[in-house]
């Protein structure tokens, strides 16, 4: 275990600080609230000569990700950051990055989509990229933002994985909140992450290659299947990387975080910052004698279905606290994944999804307690699956 | 309906294909000119040239959009099935009807 260097930083600053310590070869980014501070701080480091990075101030997020693709194809270590509309504008190139197997790392400051225009926390932007073949992580705090920046590079660049990796922290709630962050010394990061990424093939003047060639009915499906195989590898590699990182830092990282679940009858399932409040509610309810626990999904893609089943087996009912919007869907976004992961298995809980906290609306601790009571009622009424919007005014 | 076996040629093309494990990662391949990429298996038809009828006028040679026609030592046209996509332009332009488009099914 390494002696930490304690700092006071916001989530954005923590990401920028980790990126500074990693010293990537290329950063191409465009500023968007609430990600701006990541790019601002990092461009300071570039200007002050603290990092050797080539910083590309592009004109849009579509260009940002395109520049990252080009840079990564040469074998460079590449980092970028965005949010909301920016991530949506990158969407086309997200598929190019994963299809060409370029281990780009992307920090997302989760923010609501327009319209109406809103700059505050919501995770829909990241969740809807679930099919883009990116490894997708969520963080709860500035500390996790810092740690996941470092771990993301290690996961993405693993030769068995070679998939781009994004991690999200909620806008303002994490990105702008000042917290204690235990940072690692530069040397520890150099030991954890190799100086250069391992490159099997690269686009260089000496070695001409065709990247992103035309592939039709004959081979397209085979190439896409490679990405699925890589995702299965990412599932194992992420576990290894997180346990290795846990050993260095003494902070326990797993793809899912289990909190007081062993003897629980009821549980909250959440991701990102919501998990903090959920755990506080668990403590409150435990004091009142309720057997309740919390499960936090840290890795959303690849979806840790076996781990979630093991953790939730035998629990009566689960409240899914989902800070994301979906319309006309049979469940909340994460609830749909959970239902698929648990369907047809033995001793699975009933699933109760709550769409909440859209556009940065706060989900308070009394409200989560209210959700807990609702879930209990639904379960007692014999309902196996319910979905509702929670915390909005009707009239 | 009677099921017909595909011609041997067609079967060979199918067997030549790589599976997901053998394919280069992300489909990133060494640079080659288009001669390296055999695209003839896209087609459902092929141009079969009757050399006895061929008068060596070169019409097909110039009209072929894929440069899939070559001339042999006797100045008779030949279709290269590695690249022929079966469009039938050559057959339309042949003044002596020496080219027949045959289905591969």
């Amino acid at each position: 275990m390494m002696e930490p260097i304690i700092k006071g930083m916001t989530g954005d600053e923590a990401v920028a600080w980790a990126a500074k310590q990693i010293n990537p070869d290329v950063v191409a980014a465009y500023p968007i609230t609430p990600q701006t501070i990541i790019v601002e701080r990092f461009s300071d480091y570039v200007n002050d000569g603290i990092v050797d990075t080539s910083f590309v101030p592009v004109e849009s997020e579509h260009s940002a990700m395109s520049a990252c693709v080009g840079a990564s194809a040469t074998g460079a270590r590449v980092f970028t950051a965005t949010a909301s509309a920016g991530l949506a504008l990158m969407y086309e190139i997200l598929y190019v990055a994963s299809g060409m197997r370029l281990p780009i790392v992307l920090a997302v400051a989760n923010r609501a989509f327009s319209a109406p225009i809103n700059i505050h926390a919501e995770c829909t932007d990241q969740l809807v990229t679930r099919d883009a073949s990116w490894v997708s992580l969520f963080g709860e705090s500035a500390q996790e933002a810092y740690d996941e920046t470092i771990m993301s590079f290690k996961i993405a660049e693993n030769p068995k994985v070679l998939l781009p990796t994004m991690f999200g922290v909620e806008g303002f709630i994490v990105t702008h909140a000042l917290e204690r962050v235990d940072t690692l010394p530069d040397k520890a990061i150099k030991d954890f992450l190799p100086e250069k990424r391992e490159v099997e093939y690269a686009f260089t003047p000496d070695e001409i290659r065709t990247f992103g060639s035309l592939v039709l009915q004959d081979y397209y499906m085979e190439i896409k299947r490679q990405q699925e195989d890589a995702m299965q590898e990412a599932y194992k590699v992420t576990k290894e990387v997180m346990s290795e990182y846990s050993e260095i830092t003494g902070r326990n990282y797993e793809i899912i975080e289990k909190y007081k679940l062993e003897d629980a009858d009821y549980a909250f399932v959440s991701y990102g910052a919501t998990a903090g409040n959920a755990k506080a509610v668990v403590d409150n309810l435990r004091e009142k004698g309720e057997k309740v626990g919390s499960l936090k999904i840290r890795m959303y893609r690849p979806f840790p279905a076996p781990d979630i089943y093991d953790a939730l087996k035998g629990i009566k009912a689960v409240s899914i606290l989902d800070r994301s919007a979906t319309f006309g869907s049979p469940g909340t976004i994460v609830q749909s994944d959970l239902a698929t992961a648990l369907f047809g298995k033995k001793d699975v809980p009933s699933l109760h999804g709550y769409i909440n906290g859209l556009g940065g609306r706060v989900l308070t601790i009394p409200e989560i307690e209210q959700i807990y009571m609702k879930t209990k009622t639904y379960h007692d009424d014999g309902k196996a699956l319910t979905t509702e919007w929670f915390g909005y005014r009707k009239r | 309906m009677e099921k017909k076996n595909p011609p041997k040629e067609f079967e060979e093309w199918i067997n030549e294909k790589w599976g997901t494990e053998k394919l280069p990662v992300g489909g990133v391949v060494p640079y080659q000119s288009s001669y390296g990429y055999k695209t003839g298996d896209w087609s459902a038809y092929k141009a079969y040239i009757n050399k006895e009828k061929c008068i060596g006028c070169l019409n097909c040679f110039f009209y072929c959009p894929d440069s899939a026609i070559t001339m042999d030592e006797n100045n008779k046209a030949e279709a290269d099935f590695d690249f022929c996509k079966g469009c039938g332009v050559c057959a339309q332009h042949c003044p002596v009807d020496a080219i027949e488009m045959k289905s591969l099914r």
Side-chain angles (χ1 to χ4, degrees), chain A residues 26 41 49 58 74 85 95 106 109 191 201 226 241 278 303 363 371:
Chain A
V26 175
R41 289 285 181 278
V58 283
T74 68
Y95 281 77
L106 166 64
D191 292 344
Y201 52 83
Q226 287 181 339
V241 168
F303 196 72
L363 185 67
I371 284 175

Side-chain angles (χ1 to χ4, degrees), chain A residues 255-319:
Chain A
I255 53 176
I256 55 168
E257 184 194 82
K258 292 168 274 190
Y259 186 72
K260 300 189 178 173
L261 276 176
E262 296 80 30
D263 62 335
D265 287 334
Y266 297 91
F268 297 106
V269 171
S270 59
Y271 53 90
T274 314
N277 275 6
K279 281 179 276 186
V281 171
V282 166
D283 289 344
N284 290 353
L285 291 171
R286 283 261 170 192
E287 270 176 34
K288 291 176 193 162
E290 302 282 337
K291 283 187 168 179
V292 57
S294 159
L295 187 151
K296 178 171 79 178
I297 297 171
R298 186 173 276 122
M299 179 173 75
Y300 177 63
R301 281 291 180 273
F303 196 72
D307 305 75
I308 288 178
Y309 174 60
D310 285 344
L312 296 182
K313 194 167 55 182
I315 284 173
K316 287 182 189 166
V318 159
S319 317

